[in-house]
Amino acid sequence: MVSLPAANYLVETRSTDAVEPRERTDFWTEHVGSYQSRMGYRYGRTDDFRGETVRQRTAAYQLVRFRSDEIEYSRTARQVREDPDGDYRLLLPLSGEIILRQDGHEALLTPGTGTLVSFASPFQCLQDASAQAFVLTIPAREVDGPLNRKSPLATALDLSRGLGRVVRSMLDGLYAEREDLTDSQFNAVSDRVVELVCMLATGDDRPDGARHLTDVETVVRRHVRENAADPGLTGTSMARALGWSLRQIQLTLQHAGTTPRDLIREERLRLVRERLRRGDCEHLTITDLAYASGFSSASALSTAFRQRFGVSPREMRKGVRGT
């Protein structure tokens, strides 16, 4: 079953029920391999393996909700070399247990926990027969760029409370509304999920003082997101609007690996990217988008956009129209 709510947004459901029992392991290996990088598969049973995936994707993100019988996925050093993939997967169990081993760490994942898995290094992932989970594919630049760091970011994330619970509810919402979303809506929610995951990856298990920094950071990020299009937005104007000192904001963002200037530029670039993907913004020129998103000129936008996303705004718009 395939439906296309929008040109760039795909929803696809696949199940082993579509083939004979003796063909199901081959079907699953080929199916998962069609949208994930090269891995090894070891099945708990080969006579009548059962599994199902519901896949939502755009050119930017992919969310898969899956269930299956017992299986072990693995990625070897050779597979990493021969099939490079630097992107992350946010793995979030909904039922059952999943054991992940990577970079000398082992995490037992159950509902209420999650982890960021890097396909850039070998791993083993073992799931029991009752496991169901979400897997969100996140481009490496969305994690490494904003946080200015490389994997591994975290062994386990607490998704049972606070920001973690918000992440879980947002993924639930993306899945529940899968048939009624547009590409820009799916991407916008995924952007916010990634933002929260990055905060979680650097904010878990810290003392009260550090948690206070996280609270301040949350407010600062929200203010920047809501006012990114304002060309007058600066660290100083932000501090004045929030009633804090500029130094306090600088220290908070320094703790998160960024600066007021970089955060503002990042949010403006996200805003431009979202508008480039929206059909109702096709009439806007790149210059219009630059000024409407807080940039001083089209050239300033194009330079920053290419540095961040590897393509120019015109190239991204052309790619979206061509899908």
Side-chain angles (χ1 to χ4, degrees), residues 51-210:
E52 180 183 72
T53 62
V54 180
R55 181 184 175 206
Q56 303 165 245
R57 69 174 175 88
T58 63
Y61 293 102
Q62 174 177 271
L63 177 65
V64 178
R65 177 168 172 151
F66 72 87
R67 61 172 179 81
S68 77
D69 290 338
E70 181 180 348
I71 188 172
E72 175 185 333
Y73 300 97
S74 61
R75 187 159 159 85
T76 65
R78 180 175 180 177
Q79 289 169 332
V80 170
R81 291 193 304 270
E82 294 180 350
D83 189 16
D85 182 348
D87 293 342
Y88 294 87
R89 273 68 170 178
L90 173 64
L91 178 59
L92 190 162
L94 303 174
S95 65
E97 294 183 352
I98 298 176
I99 297 174
L100 177 71
R101 301 187 181 116
Q102 186 171 46
D103 298 318
H105 300 282
E106 177 175 306
L108 173 61
L109 305 176
T110 57
T113 62
T115 192
L116 279 170
V117 185
S118 172
F119 267 49
S121 60
F123 64 78
Q124 285 180 294
C125 185
L126 303 85
Q127 69 170 67
D128 66 19
S130 60
Q132 299 185 55
F134 280 125
V135 180
L136 176 67
T137 299
I138 305 172
R141 63 177 177 267
E142 300 295 339
V143 175
D144 295 336
L147 295 185
N148 192 30
R149 60 190 298 177
K150 294 289 185 179
S151 64
L153 291 177
T155 300
L157 303 173
D158 183 359
L159 303 179
S160 65
R161 59 185 175 85
L163 289 180
R165 189 172 181 179
V166 172
V167 168
R168 164 65 192 271
S169 67
M170 292 175 76
L171 292 179
D172 284 337
L174 279 176
Y175 175 75
E177 301 300 323
R178 60 191 179 278
E179 299 293 346
D180 298 310
L181 295 173
T182 66
D183 51 351
S184 61
Q185 291 168 347
F186 179 80
N187 287 332
V189 176
S190 297
D191 283 342
R192 300 286 81 80
V193 168
V194 173
E195 179 182 330
L196 295 180
V197 168
C198 288
M199 295 172 65
L200 282 170
T202 57
D204 275 1
D205 301 319
R206 294 187 294 178
D208 290 342

Side-chain angles (χ1 to χ4, degrees), residues 5 15 73 75 77 152 174 193 239 250 259 276 281:
S15 172
Y73 300 97
R75 187 159 159 85
L174 279 176
V193 168
Q250 289 172 331
T259 65
L276 286 170
C281 291

Side-chain angles (χ1 to χ4, degrees), residues 203-224:
D204 275 1
D205 301 319
R206 294 187 294 178
D208 290 342
R211 290 193 185 116
H212 172 67
L213 289 177
T214 297
D215 293 339
V216 174
E217 180 189 349
T218 300
V219 174
V220 169
R221 287 182 180 274
R222 183 186 305 119
H223 180 81
V224 172

